[in-house]
Amino acid sequence: MTTGRIAGARRPAWAWALALVAVAAAASPLIAHWLTNPDDQRLVDLDVYRTGGWALLRGLPVYDVITPAPQLLPFTYPPVAAMLAVPLAAMSWPVAQWVWTIAVVAVLAVTVRHAFRAFLDGGRGALAAPALFAVLCAACMYLMPIRDQVRFGQVDLFLLALCLLDCVVRRPWWPRGMLIGLATAVKLTPGVFLVYLAVTAFAPRDAGPGRSGTAPSGPRQRHGSTAQRHGDAAQRHGDAAQRRALFMAVFTAAVLTLLPFVVITDDARDFWFGALLDSERLGANAATTNQSLRGMLLRLYLPDALTSAVWLAAVAAVGWYGFRQARRAYVDGDTMTAVALTGLMAVLLSPVAWIHHIAWIVVVVAAVAGSGRDPVRLLVAAGVWLYYVLPIPWWGVSIKALEIPILSPVAGKIVQNAFGLGAIGLVWLLGSWLPRWRASVTTAAAVPAAKA
């Protein structure tokens, strides 16, 4: 479950300092816009988090309290999230806005550094990496799902970073799996990474340079080498590190889920046996912003029973393919693609996935770009980036509003679902096209070498 150490030429500290200044400058127009809009429209999801913490401080039922008018939003997260939101409630509203927004930008920078590791550490020179880092952070900042992180004061990017770091940091100082467990306890959708750990826990890794524990590529001999014996063991027993991470993730999530039953018993009971079962607490599930499989199906306005049946079948099919391809990417040593595929599962399989939940697009673009030395992959990555910069789903709403026969109801609905349909396409892109393309490039490079 490693991707290698962040390497490369030694880079001067001043270059990284300038890069961080450039990132702050790129984020400034976005921050200025959303922190100066009308107060009752500002960082409304952050207000939800603070309301949950505020209810605990006042001894009020967390799931009965709503934010002030005109939003009137209820707290929709597990009770441990309300406990973690207490420090936000203790701050004044202006201070909380600035602290949270700066943290969003900082977490995006951490995410970009680790997601684009292969791209940044491609040996382009000591000053190239800081410059590329600044450009990538600025580009990712203006993806629509990331813009919405700032607009609404959302927590998604924090949870994404927890899962990403748990999967790709080479030598974490925390027990691997703990961050995934924390993210799952705070908001249930990162639980897809429990599935990822489960399906990869018994998956043997291909051995790269200096890596043992996978089967050799050559034919087995009767008296094999130590590496061969290790490979046989891996085939039988899978990846022990992944199993340890899985157990730690489940343990952490379980502890943080059970803790509120001890500390805030009534609120824990209200969530798990009441609020969790009411999807309408999250908002209008058929709204344009819900780009999950279920959201797209709800906008067809089919009978409820048929919608549910089709949704369950789609979840089974997409989930089977997505996790299967994530496992394959992990076995092939491409952890970033495996993480990106799993993140897309969180978007597509969830009953509700607002546009800001597609923050995983940052990792998707990084996985497609790779080391940045393949022009075709760079072009595809740039196309994916541009697609999610543009507010395409809202174009679909405008097309439908034109009320042009056939065009408006058909084309408008397709365009309205653009980000969800795009996510399905990205699952295929990462799961099928990318490994085939890498294989073709490797084969093409090997032919001249073989002739020589």
Side-chain angles (χ1 to χ4, degrees):
M1 192 173 175
T2 61
T3 59
R5 180 180 303 171
I6 294 178
R10 187 175 183 84
R11 287 136 191 164
W14 62 264
W16 284 108
L18 286 178
L20 293 175
V21 170
V23 171
S28 294
L30 195 62
I31 294 172
H33 176 72
W34 291 118
L35 289 189
T36 57
N37 65 328
D39 187 64
D40 59 8
Q41 302 292 322
R42 191 180 308 160
L43 277 66
V44 295
D45 288 328
L46 175 60
D47 199 18
V48 170
Y49 311 149
R50 293 182 73 249
T51 298
W54 176 84
L56 286 183
L57 291 175
R58 299 297 188 278
L60 300 174
V62 170
Y63 298 97
D64 290 343
V65 175
I66 58 176
T67 59
Q71 300 299 332
L72 304 176
L73 298 173
F75 190 80
T76 59
Y77 297 84
V80 72
M83 296 168 62
L84 295 173
V86 167
L88 291 171
M91 301 177 190
S92 68
W93 179 224
V95 170
Q97 292 176 55
W98 278 104
V99 168
W100 190 264
T101 304
I102 292 171
V104 166
V105 176
V107 170
L108 175 64
V110 172
T111 300
V112 168
R113 182 65 186 100
H114 285 84
F116 287 90
R117 172 185 291 160
F119 193 96
L120 294 172
D121 294 329
R124 297 177 178 83
L127 300 181
L132 286 172
F133 170 76
V135 171
L136 289 170
C137 283
C140 290
M141 180 67 65
Y142 286 87
L143 288 161
M144 188 173 183
I146 304 302
R147 297 199 304 268
D148 279 357
Q149 299 294 314
V150 178
R151 175 185 179 183
F152 297 116
Q154 253 293 329
V155 74
D156 297 300
L157 201 53
F158 295 86
L159 304 179
L160 182 158
L162 290 175
C163 296
L164 176 66
L165 294 177
D166 221 355
C167 291
V168 305
V169 170
R170 182 180 177 86
R171 293 185 179 90
W173 53 265
W174 62 90
R176 197 181 296 279
M178 186 179 74
L179 301 187
I180 288 174
L182 171 60
T184 301
V186 169
K187 187 174 183 179
L188 302 179
T189 50
V192 293
F193 278 88
L194 299 180
V195 180
Y196 165 70
L197 291 176
V199 299
T200 58
F202 301 95
R205 292 295 295 268
D206 284 351
R211 179 189 292 166
S212 63
T214 52
S217 57
R220 273 185 78 183
Q221 302 297 323
R222 181 173 180 179
H223 300 289
S225 65
T226 300
Q228 286 175 312
R229 291 194 295 274
H230 286 173
D232 293 340
Q235 291 287 352
R236 292 193 300 270
H237 304 300
D239 193 320
Q242 287 291 88
R243 290 200 299 275
R244 289 193 296 270
L246 172 62
F247 297 149
M248 176 55 65
V250 172
F251 173 76
T252 303
V255 168
L256 294 177
T257 298
L258 294 174
L259 178 62
F261 280 98
V262 178
V263 181
I264 47 174
T265 305
D266 291 341
D267 291 318
R269 185 176 58 249
D270 289 345
F271 176 77
W272 291 103
F273 301 105
L276 176 63
L277 306 177
D278 182 8
S279 62
E280 291 302 322
R281 286 176 62 92
L282 302 173
N285 289 193
T288 301
T289 48
N290 184 7
Q291 292 288 314
S292 68
L293 291 173
R294 180 171 172 268
M296 291 186 283
L297 289 171
L298 286 174
R299 285 189 287 276
L300 294 177
Y301 298 101
L302 302 172
D304 291 346
L306 179 59
T307 297
S308 297
V310 173
W311 175 57
L312 291 174
V315 164
V318 173
W320 175 82
Y321 179 82
F323 286 118
R324 183 172 182 268
Q325 297 307 110
R327 181 185 186 275
R328 173 186 175 186
Y330 174 82
V331 169
D332 291 343
D334 187 0
T335 305
M336 201 60 65
T337 295
V339 171
L341 280 164
T342 306
L344 289 173
M345 293 300 99
V347 172
L348 291 169
L349 306 187
S350 174
V352 176
W354 308 127
I355 287 174
H356 54 71
H357 292 168
I358 314 177
W360 285 102
I361 196 64
V362 173
V363 184
V364 172
V365 172
V368 175
S371 66
R373 298 188 179 280
D374 184 331
V376 172
R377 291 179 64 175
L378 279 179
L379 185 61
V380 173
V384 173
W385 172 82
L386 180 61
Y387 186 84
Y388 281 92
V389 165
L390 301 173
I392 300 176
W394 299 109
W395 298 351
V397 175
S398 299
I399 293 172
K400 290 172 66 176
L402 295 175
E403 297 184 351
I404 300 174
I406 300 178
L407 175 66
S408 289
V410 177
K413 197 171 293 291
I414 293 173
V415 177
Q416 187 181 18
N417 296 332
F419 282 1
L421 295 174
I424 296 173
L426 290 174
V427 172
W428 171 83
L429 184 79
L430 294 172
S432 295
W433 177 82
L434 185 57
R436 287 203 303 268
W437 176 256
R438 284 201 308 260
S440 68
V441 170
T442 301
T443 301
V447 170
K451 290 181 178 179

